[in-house]
Amino acid sequence: MSESKKRIIGIGEYIVDKNPAILVTLGLGSCVAVCLRDKNNLIGGLVHIMLPESRSNKNDQKIGKYADTGIKAIIDGIVDLGGNVKYLEAKIAGGAAMFKNSNNSLNVGSKNVEAVKKILKENNIKIIAEDTGGNRARSVEFNIANGELKVKKVGGGEKVEITVI
């Protein structure tokens, strides 16, 4: 069995790859990691979303930055590598409220999570695991081989590792 390669995804970026690969993104505050996987063909993708939609930023070339364009990009990428949309499943993490503020309209994290869920539903992609909200930053590792999503939460000097399967 070949060893999995770790692929690092930066803020506002995305990647699609075939098994064996572990997709990693760090520093999810209000951002959301969307992990999609074709469980039959073992092709997956991860996007590190910063904002819910791109409508006011049509000239922005960083399509992974937005939920609407980023999720579409990884769906298209999985299909381009031989994946099938009907076998896609999703796992999501992030969307924390990083700043204490009485004005809930500034909670970008919850808006990101809401946008991600809406777009996945529109594409008939079921969310099978999520770790969203709260007020702590996260980092994730998504294993395309078995679909395992490791979520590491950091905050207040404590570190918790959660494996969502």
Side-chain angles (χ1 to χ4, degrees):
M1 179 178 219
S2 60
E3 190 172 313
S4 295
K5 57 189 178 273
K6 283 197 176 181
R7 308 280 308 266
I8 308 296
I9 296 95
I11 296 170
E13 296 177 350
Y14 71 96
I15 196 159
V16 175
D17 207 345
K18 291 182 176 182
N19 185 49
I22 296 173
L23 310 181
V24 179
T25 196
L26 310 171
L28 294 166
S30 59
C31 296
V32 176
V34 177
C35 306
L36 297 182
R37 176 176 173 255
D38 173 335
K39 61 186 182 250
N40 289 10
N41 295 300
L42 301 183
I43 301 168
L46 187 152
V47 61
H48 185 137
I49 292 167
M50 293 175 63
L51 295 167
E53 56 187 348
S54 62
R55 67 178 172 185
S56 62
N57 296 300
K58 291 295 183 195
N59 295 329
D60 194 333
Q61 298 299 306
K62 208 165 192 178
I63 59 176
K65 187 174 179 179
Y66 307 99
D68 57 350
T69 54
I71 293 171
K72 180 181 180 336
I74 57 175
I75 292 170
D76 291 348
I78 289 169
V79 170
D80 289 348
L81 287 179
N84 189 322
V85 177
K86 71 180 180 181
Y87 300 131
L88 290 181
E89 55 190 22
K91 296 184 179 184
I92 64 174
M98 297 305 294
F99 307 102
K100 290 187 180 202
N101 189 313
S102 59
N103 185 353
N104 205 25
S105 68
L106 297 178
N107 189 348
V108 177
S110 66
K111 288 181 179 182
N112 283 340
V113 171
E114 185 179 310
V116 162
K117 288 181 175 181
K118 178 178 179 271
I119 293 162
L120 292 172
K121 185 175 183 178
E122 288 169 354
N123 285 278
N124 297 311
I125 299 170
K126 184 178 178 186
I127 298 172
I128 60 169
E130 79 174 276
D131 183 34
T132 59
N135 59 5
R136 298 196 313 175
R138 297 164 172 88
S139 294
V140 301
E141 291 188 5
F142 182 53
N143 188 327
I144 294 174
N146 61 14
E148 181 179 75
L149 177 64
K150 287 186 181 177
V151 180
K152 294 181 182 178
K153 291 185 185 180
V154 182
E158 105 185 64
K159 191 173 188 181
V160 179
E161 184 167 309
I162 301 167
T163 301
V164 183
I165 298 176

